[in-house]
Amino acid sequence: MRSPRLEDGYERSDADPRPLVLAVFVLALLVAGALAVSAWLSQDAAAELLGAESANPVRALRIAPPGPELQAVPARELEEQRAWEERMLTTTGWIDPVNGVVRIPVERAIELSLEEGFPVRAEAKK
């Protein structure tokens, strides 16, 4: 190690520029490499976005859903519905033949209920 010379005005042994220049050079290479990778990724992403049909997933949600299916002849369908309901209320028929469940007209069900009576609690009979 040399001794510092006072006539230069600074100490030469403490100011070695090689490591500093090398560090700046390595840092510049790293920054340039990062910029190059960033530009490549940006171009790749831009090309993918431009080439995709639906790049935005929210765009698919903006499409209006199909409207309700309208009745072709609403008056006739209403007549058919009311006729079916009338048949269910006024005619007899099997609901579950295996278990012996039968459908009877409403008027007849009311008559049978009045004839048989309704169940009453034992306390209410007193």
Side-chain angles (χ1 to χ4, degrees), residues 70-77:
L70 301 177
Q71 296 173 319
V73 185
R76 184 185 56 168
E77 291 179 18

Side-chain angles (χ1 to χ4, degrees), residues 2-14:
R2 335 183 255 178
S3 64
R5 294 191 298 185
L6 295 175
E7 59 268 1
D8 291 339
Y10 62 90
E11 296 182 15
R12 288 185 176 265
S13 64
D14 290 339

Side-chain angles (χ1 to χ4, degrees), residues 73-125:
V73 185
R76 184 185 56 168
E77 291 179 18
L78 181 61
E79 284 179 23
E80 290 173 0
Q81 178 66 27
R82 287 187 177 162
W84 178 83
E85 290 172 349
E86 188 65 27
R87 276 194 316 275
M88 293 296 116
L89 292 173
T90 58
T91 61
T92 59
W94 287 103
I95 292 178
D96 186 3
V98 174
N99 294 321
V101 179
V102 179
R103 180 187 71 245
I104 60 173
V106 174
E107 297 297 326
R108 180 67 182 140
I110 293 173
E111 290 172 8
L112 289 174
S113 297
L114 291 175
E115 286 175 10
E116 294 177 7
F118 295 99
V120 181
R121 292 185 187 163
E123 301 166 0
K125 289 183 181 179

Side-chain angles (χ1 to χ4, degrees), residues 54-66:
S54 177
N56 188 353
V58 178
R59 186 176 299 160
L61 298 175
R62 291 183 185 158
I63 297 172

